[in-house]
Amino acid sequence: MKNYIAGQWKESENGKYSGKLEPSTGKLMGQFPSSTINDAAEAIDAADDSFKKWSETTSHDRAIILRKAGEIIESKRKELEDLLVREAGKVRAQAVEETSGVLDQIYYYSGFERKITGDVVEGQKNRQKIFQYKVPYGVVLALTPWNFPAAMVARKLAPALATGNTVVMKPSSDTPFTAEWLVRRFVEAGIPDGVLNLITGKGSEIGDFLVSHRKVSLVTMTGSTETGQRIISKTSANMAKTILELGGKAPFMVWKDANLENAAKALMWGKFWNAGQSCIAAERLYVHRDVREKFMKIFMGMVSKMRVGDPEISQMGPLINSSAVSTMNGFVSKATEQGFSILHGGTTPHLEDRFSEGFFFEPTIIGGATQDSDIFQEEIFGPMLGVMEVQEKDELIHMANDSRFGLASYLFTSDMDFALDAADRIRFGELYINMTGPEASQGYHTGFRMTGQAGEGSNHGIGEYLKLKNIYVDYSGDRITVNGMPGI
Ligand code: NAP
């Protein structure tokens, strides 16, 4: 693959490439440019040069291009689905679902054309007004993760471009090809040269340069909390606005009056969707003592039947790379050392030859872990779940809130008074009551605490890409009076 800068597909200036392995087989899938800071500077210059024209293009004309990109993606969607299976190790049904999500994002954001409004505020005196306009920031740097490599790209490109910003996108080094595929569709749809630029390369090598560049006005990043913290420290150089969608550690709460069958199914989704590699993944189960045994029987029955392996026919596929498998092994070793019990899984599965070098891990359930353990406090980001019994409502809400992350949370109960009381008291950006996720385009995806800053989706999310500018006007025709300077 190649970078895309100022309307040209090109190699990095040093001609070097990095390899990308296919998660389900461990085999080399292809190579992508190891871009340098000179490539990064060229991409930022291209985005900056094209900003004036793009921001002055009407929102209607911009939306036409977005919708055209959506139509092209739709007409070739099987290619994207295949790529998601190969590059990210998605199981087929989830690759299809993510592709639909990409289209939903693009069509949703293109629908904001001619709907962005500002305010007119009265001035300090009669016949004075303050016009508050919403204007694009300028050059947006979009840094995307590998876990939803298409949906996260769409969720950043669509609102940034719809609002008249220009973009430099640097995708995860684990999923560069999906990003390239999507950029090619925007190019086919007629996105003008320089408005959308793609560069690949390691965040650890070019990230600091990109985020702190003086021509970058907004950095939107979905990824780990550690990367988010580094970005905040580096954007002190250019004061770029940051939209940071970071880690999660969702509590999954099952109260004694819950529909247990529904709750167990939802937990299967919450925990094993995308092999647990999701920021909204259920990572800690709190179940009421009165129903613990019954609930676990239903849930474990489902876990033991889950098919893991070949992404084409399984319910759960591989993790993204070998280091993710090592992380899972690390959690299991520590849990064992601490005397917690491995109720299911805990190791890599034995699969047929074709997948024997893939990065698979068994669905793993850990009992006996304490609230202060890594299992209950660190983001696992894989198919592993800690189980804990609770008895009191206050205790449940307290335990759920006791996390440095604050993105998604789940509650199953048939007591609506309790559900709404929990909604008041839960300190998370999202609470799903008696339902699964994922978040909707028209919802505002955001988190408390170390989950980040700002958010994506809805009119609030599109507002993150617009800056408020104030125009003061006096149309009274009165003589200017200068306060505090007698005689002038
Ligand atoms: P990551 O390692 O933090 O990487 C995210 C992106 O940032 C990648 O493009 C990465 O490039 C880049 N990057 C790395 N170091 C950088 C630096 N110093 N400066 C600028 N950019 C840099 O995260 P990930 O492993 O891809 O994604 C998993 C994480 O994302 C999890 O913590 C998950 O919870 C979170 N996530 C959050 C949400 C949400 O909506 N809150 C959604 C999905 C995922 P390289 O790949 O080249 O390093």
Side-chain angles (χ1 to χ4, degrees):
M1 72 163 282
K2 293 189 168 152
N3 286 334
Y4 185 67
I5 301 176
Q8 303 292 319
W9 291 98
K10 54 200 297 188
E11 293 189 342
S12 61
E13 59 150 7
N14 61 13
K16 287 193 180 155
Y17 284 85
S18 305
K20 152 74 193 163
L21 305 182
E22 207 176 286
S24 59
T25 61
K27 296 208 161 57
L28 185 69
M29 179 177 169
Q31 295 195 314
F32 59 94
S34 305
S35 306
T36 65
I37 58 171
N38 290 335
D39 299 314
E42 201 185 333
I44 292 170
D45 283 344
D48 189 50
D49 290 346
S50 61
F51 174 66
K52 181 172 185 299
K53 198 161 171 213
W54 183 243
S55 60
E56 289 175 358
T57 302
T58 65
S59 63
H60 177 62
D61 288 340
R62 293 195 298 252
I64 288 173
I65 296 179
L66 284 189
R67 279 196 288 275
K68 177 96 181 135
E71 283 156 19
I72 296 170
I73 291 166
E74 211 162 353
S75 69
K76 299 183 177 182
R77 62 175 293 158
K78 176 73 169 46
E79 285 177 30
L80 179 57
E81 291 161 11
D82 289 348
L83 199 47
L84 287 167
V85 171
R86 277 196 75 197
E87 186 175 39
K90 303 255 160 188
V91 296
R92 176 62 62 178
Q94 291 171 24
V96 171
E97 187 188 25
E98 182 166 349
T99 301
S100 299
V102 165
L103 295 169
D104 189 58
Q105 300 279 348
I106 291 173
Y107 293 140
Y108 176 75
Y109 284 111
S110 69
F112 277 92
E113 60 165 317
R114 294 173 289 168
K115 293 194 187 113
I116 302 295
T117 55
D119 285 312
V120 183
V121 182
E122 68 176 60
Q124 295 290 80
K125 293 182 185 166
N126 227 351
R127 296 198 164 67
Q128 287 187 345
K129 291 280 182 287
I130 307 165
F131 296 95
Q132 296 184 317
Y133 299 170
K134 287 186 187 151
V135 297
Y137 275 79
V139 176
V140 168
L141 172 67
L143 302 161
T144 52
W146 47 263
N147 61 339
F148 294 96
M152 297 298 113
V153 165
R155 187 152 86 183
K156 296 190 185 306
L157 287 191
L161 294 172
T163 45
N165 296 282
T166 55
V167 177
V168 173
M169 190 170 67
K170 197 219 79 70
S172 165
S173 297
D174 277 300
T175 49
F177 299 114
T178 301
E180 183 211 18
W181 189 92
L182 284 167
V183 169
R184 285 189 183 276
R185 305 297 79 84
F186 277 83
V187 172
E188 285 167 22
I191 196 91
D193 294 353
V195 170
L196 171 57
N197 305 275
L198 170 75
I199 61 161
T200 56
K202 292 210 166 43
S204 54
E205 290 169 11
I206 55 173
D208 288 356
F209 178 83
L210 281 165
V211 304
S212 61
H213 196 286
R214 69 183 175 85
K215 291 183 183 169
V216 168
S217 299
L218 192 162
V219 178
T220 173
M221 189 279 280
T222 299
S224 64
T225 293
E226 291 65 32
T227 304
Q229 287 174 307
R230 185 166 180 97
I231 289 172
I232 290 176
S233 74
K234 296 296 165 189
T235 47
S236 63
N238 58 358
M239 288 292 169
K241 172 180 173 163
T242 48
I243 301 172
L244 299 171
E245 303 288 341
L246 311 176
K249 184 79 189 164
F252 193 98
M253 303 173 270
V254 181
W255 197 239
K256 59 185 170 188
D257 53 14
N259 177 328
L260 298 184
E261 186 76 28
N262 269 355
K265 276 191 187 166
L267 183 55
M268 287 299 288
W269 178 89
K271 181 65 272 182
F272 302 116
W273 185 55
N274 208 32
Q277 304 167 115
S278 150
C279 55
I280 59 168
E283 294 233 334
R284 42 200 180 114
L285 167 65
Y286 298 104
V287 54
H288 193 280
R289 178 191 278 192
D290 295 358
V291 292
R292 179 197 159 117
E293 210 179 308
K294 192 166 171 205
F295 177 75
M296 288 307 287
K297 195 164 170 217
I298 302 172
F299 176 60
M300 296 297 271
M302 292 177 182
V303 172
S304 59
K305 285 197 202 109
M306 194 166 64
R307 214 169 34 228
V308 180
D310 183 351
E312 292 296 344
I313 53 166
S314 300
Q315 288 149 330
M316 193 175 92
L319 302 183
I320 190 69
N321 53 32
S322 60
S323 125
V325 174
S326 305
T327 303
M328 293 309 114
N329 281 320
F331 275 112
V332 171
S333 304
K334 191 152 181 204
T336 311
E337 272 166 33
Q338 290 174 304
F340 308 151
S341 35
I342 312 299
L343 305 177
H344 191 276
T347 184
T348 48
H350 293 291
L351 296 172
E352 58 177 289
D353 271 2
R354 205 153 49 103
F355 302 110
S356 59
E357 301 296 313
F359 311 126
F360 294 88
F361 204 81
E362 288 182 345
T364 298
I365 313 295
I366 299 188
T370 50
Q371 177 72 11
D372 62 356
S373 65
D374 285 0
I375 297 294
F376 272 78
Q377 292 297 336
E378 295 305 317
E379 185 178 39
I380 294 172
F381 222 61
M384 192 176 299
L385 178 75
V387 183
M388 194 179 292
E389 188 176 285
V390 288
Q391 245 182 303
E392 303 294 335
K393 287 177 180 168
D394 286 349
E395 174 198 18
L396 175 62
I397 302 297
H398 173 76
M399 302 273 235
N401 282 336
D402 173 29
S403 169
R404 69 188 178 108
F405 302 106
L407 184 57
S409 55
Y410 303 84
L411 173 62
F412 277 74
T413 177
S414 54
D415 176 351
M416 268 303 136
D417 287 352
F418 174 44
L420 292 176
D421 179 49
D424 283 348
R425 291 198 282 152
I426 204 87
R427 304 281 296 160
F428 283 76
E430 287 165 2
L431 171 64
Y432 295 89
I433 300 173
N434 295 332
M435 64 182 287
T436 68
E439 68 274 12
S441 300
Q442 67 275 27
Y444 182 60
H445 189 56
T446 187
F448 286 51
R449 301 181 286 281
M450 301 302 277
T451 291
Q453 297 179 339
E456 293 181 310
S458 80
N459 53 326
H460 303 292
I462 201 149
E464 302 289 6
Y465 289 87
L466 291 162
K467 205 166 166 62
L468 210 56
K469 183 160 105 176
N470 294 266
I471 310 298
Y472 287 75
V473 182
D474 183 311
Y475 53 98
S476 66
D478 292 348
R479 276 192 323 129
I480 292 272
T481 50
V482 180
N483 291 335
M485 296 179 78
I488 294 183

